[in-house]
Amino acid sequence: MSVRKETGFTLIELMIVVTVIAILAAVAYPSYQAQVRKGRMGQAQADLLELSQFMERCFASNNSYQGCALPFSTSPRNGTPYYQIEFNPATTRTEFNLRAVPQTAGGQDKQKCGTLELNQSGVKRFGALGTQADCW
């Protein structure tokens, strides 16, 4: 009678591999989510700059920001809105303020930069937790 040697993985070896994969996933997934939120914020910044240019074209045509209506109010324009874009004209005809307010969809409200703002002078503002380098 001959003895056959069994080959394969033991249950302990398999559990060690599963544990290592779980630890790696626990570290990688939050970092991935932060990068996704940062990308969505970049889209909102680009939308604010595009809308600012739209407002300047409207001012060039009308000699006033009053009466100008934004062509879109969410970022991104299609799909799930991660930012709501608000337009706050001042009482004078020579001022405006655009705001991108993060929404709860996709955890975008957890972005440390908070609400992004841009006015007619190109002044950029953001939430209290961010820095200029991180947010604009």
Side-chain angles (χ1 to χ4, degrees):
M1 198 155 104
S2 67
V3 178
R4 286 182 34 187
K5 182 174 178 175
E6 296 291 326
T7 60
F9 297 107
T10 65
L11 182 59
I12 296 296
E13 291 170 332
L14 184 62
M15 293 308 294
I16 290 171
V17 169
V18 168
T19 303
V20 168
I21 290 172
I23 290 169
L24 290 174
V27 171
Y29 188 69
S31 177
Y32 167 75
Q33 289 288 31
Q35 289 300 316
V36 168
R37 285 193 297 270
K38 188 175 180 181
R40 292 174 184 154
M41 183 183 70
Q43 177 64 47
Q45 292 168 341
D47 287 341
L48 284 179
L49 292 171
E50 180 181 343
L51 289 172
S52 176
Q53 292 172 352
F54 172 82
M55 293 301 295
E56 292 302 327
R57 288 190 303 273
C58 183
F59 184 84
S61 298
N62 304 325
N63 201 28
S64 175
Y65 293 117
Q66 294 174 332
C68 298
L70 297 179
F72 58 93
S73 62
T74 61
S75 179
R77 295 179 203 182
N78 300 320
T80 304
Y82 297 109
Y83 283 87
Q84 184 68 34
I85 297 180
E86 301 173 353
F87 169 57
N88 299 318
T91 55
T92 66
R93 62 183 183 82
T94 59
E95 297 176 350
F96 73 85
N97 189 34
L98 294 169
R99 296 176 50 173
V101 180
Q103 304 297 299
T104 57
Q108 200 61 35
D109 57 340
K110 296 175 184 166
Q111 181 72 8
K112 67 180 176 180
C113 294
T115 299
L116 303 172
E117 295 185 30
L118 181 64
N119 69 13
Q120 77 285 345
S121 300
V123 175
K124 301 168 182 173
R125 295 187 188 100
F126 48 89
L129 298 177
T131 64
Q132 184 73 24
D134 290 337
C135 299
W136 279 99

